[in-house]
Each structure stands twice: as C-alpha cells, then as structure tokens.
Amino acid sequence: MFKRSSGILMHISSLPSPYGIGTFGKDAYEFVDFLVNSGQSYWQILPLGITGYGDSPYQSFSAFAGNPYFIDLDILEREGIIKKEDYVGLDFGNDVEKVDYDKIFKNKMPILRLAYKNGKDKYKDEIGKFEEENKDWLEDFSLYMAIKSQFNLRPWQEWDEDIKLRKKEALKKYKKDLKDEIEYWVFLQFLFFKQWFALKKYANERGIQIIGDIPIYVAEDSADTWANSEIFLLDEDKMPLKVAGCPPDAFSKTGQLWGNPIYRWDLLEKRNFDWWIERIRMNSRLYDVIRIDHFRGFESYWEIPYGDETAVNGRWVKGPGIKLFKAIKRELGNIKVIAEDLGFLTDEVIKFREETGYPGMKVLQFAFDTREESDYLPHNYDKNCIVYTGTHDNDTVNGWFESANKKDVNFAKRYLKLNKREGYNWGFIRGAWASVAFLAIAQMQDFLGLGSEARMNIPSTIGGNWQWRVKKDDLTDKLAKKIYKITKLYGR
C-alpha cells in the first residue's frame, strides 16, 4: 500500500504569505517544489475545515466544507474579480510567524464578499456544476452559515425553535429570505475547491501525495449536527445527552473533555453507515491518504454525561468496529488510511486495527519513558506503521528536550546517539528515517530546529494554538539538500 518513503507535516495556515495566513497561492506551490527538492513523497496537513471558536481545525462548522481563509487573493486578482488596491495594505496581522485569526476574519472576509459580488455572474455555469456535484452537503452547509450570520454567529441550538428543528415552512422561508447570503457561501466553497484541486494536481504531478486529516467527531455547533441531528445522541431540545473525550491517564488526572456529540452507531448501522461513507468519499477526493484521528474510538469510545466539567465520570462504550470499514470498502473500494491509534490501546483495539490492515502511528517523543519498555522504540516496530518525530499535538523535538524528564532525555541521547553538533532535532529525524517503518514524517518545525515557541497545539487549552507560520527565507535550497541527503541515505 505504501512504499518506503517520507514526508513533512505542515498545515496550510503555516505557509508563508504576505496576507497573514497561508493560502493556496504562490507560496504553497513553492512549498511543493521544496518537498520535491528535499526528496519527499508526502505532504501532511491538518483538517481543511472552516474553523470557529478556538480556531481549531478539529472543531469545524462542517465535516465537508473548506476554510475560506485559505483562498488566495492574488489568484482572485489575476482572475479579475478583485483589484490589488482592494486588499494590499490591509492589516492581516503584523507577525510573519503567527496567524492573527481576528484580523483575518475582520479584513479578509469582506474582500471575499467583494469577490462574490464581482465574480458570481462570471462563474455562473461553473458554480451550477459545482452545486450539482456537491448538493448532498453544500445545500445544508450554505443554509446553515447564512442562518448563523443572521443570528449573530450564535450556535444553532440558540436559533428560533422553528429553524432549529428544521420545520419545513421555516426551511422554505429562510431559503427564500437569505438567498443572496446562501449563494455567497456556495461561491466561497466553489473558490476553495477550485484552488485546492489545482494545488493538489500540481503536487500529484510532481510525485507529492497529500495526507489529509479527519477528526472522528464533528463539532456540536456544525452544519452536520444541525442537518443530521438524528445520527447523534441528542435530546428533544437537540442538546447532547453524552459527549466525547478521553479517560484520566498519566498526562491528565481528570481526562480530556472534548465535548463533541456522540454518534448513534445503531442507527448509522441500520442506514449502512451512509453519512460516514459520504464523508470518506469526499475526503478521498480531497486527499491521497486519509489519517483518521482517534481511530481507537471506532472500537470503543469514552462517553461523558453532558454538562460534566471533567471526563472523570465517563465510561467505555463499544463502537461499530470492523463493520463500518467493511461497509466503506464495499462502497468505495480500497482507500488509503492511516489509523491514529495513539493513547490507551487494549488488545481489542490492536486486533481491530490489524483487521482493517491500516498502518498505525508511532511517535518517537513517546518512546523514551524510562519507567517501561515502549512500543514506540524503533526496535519494536513492524513495517506497517508510520513513524513521526512528533505530531501537531506534541512539542517540537527541541522543545521536548527542554521540558521532558531528564532521565527520559538521557535515554533518548543514548538510544539515538544524539550529539549537539549534529543537533538533537536531526538525531531524532535520523532515528525516524532509519527505522523499518515504511513511512517517516517530521514536522517542518523539527527540520528547522525550532523550540516550544513554534509548537502548533497544546491539547486541552484554548488560545495561542494553531498560529505558527514558517518564514519564507527558512525554506532554503541548503535545507532541501540536507533533507534530501538523509532521505537518500535511509532509502526513503
């Protein structure tokens, strides 16, 4: 399924650009060229969904729609639907190494509205075709966003009763009254997918495959939960009965309370998992490989009573298991999937992942716990896995060296023969690249040797996450050559 190879993990938002956040523009194409020159085969990104509170790509307003922040303005200018003076000089944030989401929201969205005004007629036929191809999700999403704007961005459970419950007359009324706003959201999705597929084509033609990420759960405040409320554990007021999270463990005494609604797997099974099949179908068009977050939740998941303030009172409940993936395979054939199988793994979870045939994940930063022999140590790998120096939820390698237990750090130094001259980050990359895992991936931050200031996310915290950006002049030919050499050396 995978041949021995390697790749770089960096989200679209982290790309350089003059307009405050990474986009599908020139710098994205140049990053593909950088990957090619570095001898890489994969570019891994985070979910592309439209973000809301907390700016997390894992809490999106839709499991299908794309984030308009990634639409490139220079491309729209070249297409003649906005002018340079409409956006050059606007305040998109003054720190080239951090995304300022407030400023992007305040200053980019009005420009996209202008693009809609100028471009809706020009692209009328193409938009019609796009609507037809995506009507299964696009109609509900664009209506949801239009109504959300009408209610000052409040969650859908706080809307008027008739539209909250999707009464027939209310749906008809809002579709008529908000026609222009609905068309604006359709237009943004049209632009997003047009630009994304052009970038993906460019990458694929140059031998770069895209690994995309999908969270197992959807956000409570999302078009999916509003439009498909019957497939979630909600009460008659459409409030969750149970929510998702993780039990207490060594990292967190009270566990993790994510707050996402839980699926009604019994109903989904009766419907042959239709919603999930459509979701995977869509994502298999968006990406070449799909990484499914919290994969162990398909075998058993931790459900917590709604309203609890911690995850302590949760319980394990059986998930759909192999039945879901058999249904996906029957419908869609063989899809390339990476199973994010981190966390507490029982024999049942391991057996279930092995039954799917999907490769699991090994995170090198987790390997050096001196209290026990770890499955994440490279000598314990089999080939069917993906090794990461760290993921978006980890510190950078150099940050880990500063904050980790000294015994663990010394173990890592002995095991990987680390030395300061080579750089601890490069020693970690060497450890991953030399392993038998058929795919090795490191964050861009680790290739650059950055510290904790460049960390992408600290789980269970809100604010200050998802902001890191690479500087344009960091992506040098010299660095590409260095990455190429280590990749060639270890046959990747």
Side-chain angles (χ1 to χ4, degrees):
M1 197 162 132
F2 292 86
K3 65 178 188 12
R4 186 171 171 81
S5 51
S6 61
I8 295 178
L9 165 58
M10 185 170 77
H11 195 32
I12 304 296
S13 61
S14 297
L15 286 162
S17 98
Y19 311 116
I21 192 168
T23 69
F24 300 143
K26 181 171 171 278
D27 289 288
Y29 287 79
E30 287 176 2
F31 186 65
V32 170
D33 297 339
F34 177 85
L35 289 165
V36 173
N37 296 336
S38 307
Q40 299 313 293
S41 306
Y42 290 93
W43 177 6
Q44 181 169 334
I45 59 175
L46 304 183
L48 285 172
I50 175 168
T51 52
Y53 177 68
D55 309 310
S56 169
Y58 293 87
Q59 293 284 356
S60 174
F61 289 139
S62 167
F64 295 83
N67 193 340
Y69 292 169
F70 299 152
I71 295 169
D72 187 71
L73 300 177
D74 287 340
I75 293 174
L76 303 186
E77 188 264 335
R78 283 200 299 277
E79 290 176 0
I81 58 174
I82 52 173
K83 298 189 180 78
K84 269 270 197 252
E85 57 264 31
D86 292 330
Y87 62 96
V88 171
L90 284 179
D91 182 7
F92 294 111
N94 52 16
D95 187 343
V96 295
E97 294 177 71
K98 276 206 165 121
V99 179
D100 186 328
Y101 286 96
D102 282 345
K103 285 181 178 171
I104 302 293
F105 178 72
K106 282 185 189 122
N107 294 322
K108 184 163 188 169
M109 297 311 282
I111 304 305
L112 294 176
R113 208 168 272 278
L114 183 66
Y116 162 65
K117 200 168 124 253
N118 298 336
K120 59 182 175 178
D121 291 337
K122 179 176 180 172
Y123 294 118
K124 201 174 174 190
D125 293 346
E126 283 177 72
I127 293 166
K129 188 168 175 273
F130 172 76
E131 275 190 278
E132 188 51 40
E133 285 169 359
N134 295 281
K135 64 175 184 290
D136 289 348
W137 64 269
L138 185 60
E139 205 173 290
D140 284 321
F141 166 75
S142 49
L143 177 60
Y144 163 85
M145 290 306 289
I147 301 168
K148 198 170 180 56
S149 302
Q150 183 86 346
F151 284 104
N152 294 321
L153 305 182
R154 292 210 308 274
W156 64 271
Q157 288 109 326
E158 294 176 22
W159 297 352
D160 292 348
E161 194 78 357
D162 59 349
I163 193 60
K164 176 178 96 170
L165 300 175
R166 291 175 62 88
K167 296 278 173 66
K168 213 173 184 176
E169 283 308 307
L171 286 170
K172 208 167 146 186
K173 175 185 178 295
Y174 280 96
K175 279 178 188 172
K176 183 169 169 281
D177 293 352
L178 300 178
K179 186 173 180 289
D180 189 58
E181 186 71 9
I182 291 165
E183 285 175 6
Y184 162 67
W185 284 101
V186 168
F187 181 78
L188 292 189
Q189 290 307 303
F190 162 72
L191 291 181
F192 174 93
F193 286 104
K194 185 180 174 204
Q195 290 191 5
W196 169 248
F197 284 125
L199 174 62
K200 182 178 182 289
K201 182 170 184 273
Y202 183 86
N204 288 166
E205 283 170 353
R206 283 151 187 79
I208 303 295
Q209 302 260 295
I210 308 285
I211 301 174
D213 201 335
I214 69 171
I216 183 173
Y217 294 114
V218 300
E220 184 185 338
D221 186 19
S222 67
D224 314 290
T225 320
W226 174 65
N228 306 281
S229 59
E230 72 283 357
I231 67 169
F232 299 95
L233 275 175
L234 307 177
D235 65 19
E236 51 211 34
D237 286 327
K238 304 294 179 186
M239 299 305 285
L241 292 162
K242 309 278 185 186
V243 292
C246 267
D249 59 18
F251 296 103
S252 168
K253 281 182 185 155
T254 56
Q256 291 179 36
L257 178 65
W258 301 335
N260 308 72
I262 299 278
Y263 297 105
R264 284 186 56 194
W265 286 115
D266 54 343
L267 178 68
L268 277 163
E269 189 178 342
K270 279 181 193 147
R271 287 168 38 167
N272 193 34
F273 303 105
D274 54 354
W275 183 87
W276 260 97
I277 286 168
E278 288 316 308
R279 188 183 188 192
I280 298 292
R281 189 195 307 277
M282 175 70 166
N283 280 279
S284 65
R285 280 177 55 219
L286 278 180
Y287 313 121
D288 302 298
V289 182
I290 301 169
R291 172 196 178 272
I292 304 181
D293 199 46
H294 194 59
F295 195 79
R296 70 104 58 239
F298 294 112
E299 194 281 325
S300 295
Y301 54 89
W302 188 253
E303 69 166 33
I304 304 148
Y306 183 67
D308 277 19
E309 288 181 12
T310 72
V312 170
N313 297 321
R315 62 174 190 142
W316 286 111
V317 181
K318 280 286 173 203
I322 198 69
K323 288 180 285 196
L324 170 64
F325 294 93
K326 281 183 171 166
I328 288 168
K329 190 174 180 178
R330 272 196 307 274
E331 195 68 33
L332 305 177
N334 283 321
I335 303 279
K336 276 190 171 183
V337 170
I338 295 169
E340 189 272 284
D341 57 348
L342 307 173
F344 174 62
L345 303 185
T346 60
D347 290 345
E348 290 88 347
V349 176
I350 294 163
K351 187 168 171 274
F352 158 62
R353 187 192 51 74
E354 285 171 352
E355 211 178 337
T356 65
Y358 302 148
M361 285 173 54
K362 307 289 182 190
V363 176
L364 209 46
Q365 281 184 36
F366 295 158
F368 304 106
D369 187 338
T370 45
R371 293 168 302 181
E372 57 187 8
E373 168 80 356
S374 171
D375 290 344
Y376 298 120
L377 284 164
H379 67 258
N380 289 325
Y381 299 174
D382 60 17
K383 282 184 185 175
N384 192 32
C385 69
I386 322 292
V387 57
Y388 290 79
T389 52
T391 74
H392 63 277
D393 281 336
N394 291 102
D395 206 337
T396 63
V397 166
N398 282 351
W400 181 83
F401 272 91
E402 292 299 315
S403 60
N405 178 302
K406 287 289 165 268
K407 281 185 180 171
D408 298 354
V409 165
N410 289 333
F411 179 23
K413 284 177 180 174
R414 287 198 314 278
Y415 188 94
L416 294 170
K417 291 193 162 62
L418 301 175
N419 65 75
K420 276 193 170 162
R421 195 161 154 245
E422 178 191 25
Y424 294 158
N425 55 315
W426 283 101
F428 251 66
I429 291 163
R430 171 170 49 75
W433 262 236
S435 75
V436 296
F438 54 52
L439 181 53
I441 289 179
Q443 294 191 88
M444 193 67 234
Q445 294 96 311
D446 289 339
F447 287 108
L448 295 168
L450 300 174
S452 299
E453 75 287 347
R455 185 170 182 166
M456 194 62 169
N457 180 47
I458 301 174
S460 299
T461 65
I462 289 180
N465 295 318
W466 318 109
Q467 294 178 351
W468 178 77
R469 294 176 69 206
V470 69
K471 296 205 298 286
K472 193 178 175 76
D473 52 12
D474 280 341
L475 300 171
T476 61
D477 288 344
K478 188 182 172 191
L479 179 62
K481 276 189 187 126
K482 191 171 182 180
I483 299 169
Y484 182 86
K485 271 186 183 168
I486 199 166
T487 304
K488 187 89 173 135
L489 179 65
Y490 292 112
R492 293 196 179 275

